[in-house]
Amino acid sequence: MIRIHISPSWILRAIGSKHGEPSPQLHCENGTVCITTFYEEGIGMRTVYGHISSKDSATIEISPTIHAFIKRVVDYPTIEMRLQHGAMTVVAETPHAALQYTFPRIHRIEHHVLESSEKDTMVSVSANDWLLLCRALSNKGFVTITATTDSKAIT
C-alpha cells in the first residue's frame, strides 16, 4: 500500500484553474511530489514540486472526479491518499470529524523523466509566447525548433 499525506489546498494551487486535457498528473517519489498540468490539449505544460514525508513511488491521473472531491475537502489541513489494488482511498480528518471516500478505479500511469545533463542547453520561453507560436502554426507540415550553445535565437 502506498500512503501520501498532503495538503489539499496545495494540490489545488498546483493544478491551477485553467488546466485542460489530458488530466493533471500527481507523481510522488523519494519525498518529492509533483503535479503536472497540461494546457491547450498538451501543447503547454506546467509542473509544480513540493515535499512530502512518504518515500513511496506512484504516478496517478487526477481525474475530474478526484479533482472535484479534493475541492470539497480543501479546508482540511491535510489528507491521506492510500493507493492499493487499483483503488485510492482519501481520508480527511480533524480531531472531531473524519471523512473517507474510496475511488474504486484510478488510472496509474508511467512517469516519464528526462534526466539532466551537463550538455543540456536550456531555453526559456514564456507560456504566452509559446501558446502564441503554437496557435499560429499550420496543422500540416513540420516544425523544427533548435537551440545551440553558440547562438542566441531560436529560428
Side-chain angles (χ1 to χ4, degrees):
M1 178 186 319
I2 296 172
R3 293 175 184 254
I4 304 164
H5 290 86
I6 192 165
S7 163
S9 62
W10 182 88
I11 292 173
L12 293 179
R13 282 192 313 272
I15 290 174
S17 60
K18 295 184 179 181
H19 64 85
E21 291 294 327
S23 293
Q25 299 174 358
L26 180 145
H27 172 74
C28 64
E29 185 172 25
N30 295 326
T32 300
V33 62
C34 71
I35 293 188
T36 303
T37 51
F38 302 92
Y39 303 91
E40 301 286 331
E41 297 178 12
I43 63 172
M45 181 179 91
R46 174 177 170 244
T47 302
V48 177
Y49 292 90
H51 297 286
I52 55 174
S53 59
S54 173
K55 301 294 182 191
D56 292 325
S57 177
T59 304
I60 64 167
E61 178 181 274
I62 301 175
S63 68
T65 306
I66 294 171
H67 188 199
F69 183 78
I70 292 172
K71 284 181 180 180
R72 292 190 175 270
V73 296
V74 71
D75 293 327
Y76 285 84
T78 61
I79 58 174
E80 179 183 43
M81 301 168 91
R82 300 177 193 154
L83 287 81
Q84 186 175 19
H85 305 300
M88 180 175 71
T89 300
V90 178
V91 179
E93 58 187 346
T94 66
H96 304 289
L99 177 66
Q100 176 177 309
Y101 185 81
T102 299
F103 297 91
R105 289 181 298 277
I106 59 163
H107 189 212
R108 289 193 66 169
I109 50 181
E110 188 175 336
H111 184 64
H112 299 284
V113 177
L114 298 175
E115 296 297 330
S116 298
S117 163
E118 290 180 10
K119 296 179 182 179
D120 287 350
T121 300
M122 183 172 170
V123 176
S124 181
V125 178
S126 74
N128 188 51
D129 288 345
W130 179 253
L131 293 174
L132 288 172
L133 276 171
C134 291
R135 286 187 192 116
L137 299 175
S138 171
N139 290 335
K140 297 179 182 177
F142 297 92
V143 175
T144 303
I145 299 175
T146 58
T148 62
T149 57
D150 59 349
S151 67
K152 293 184 179 181
I154 296 178
T155 57

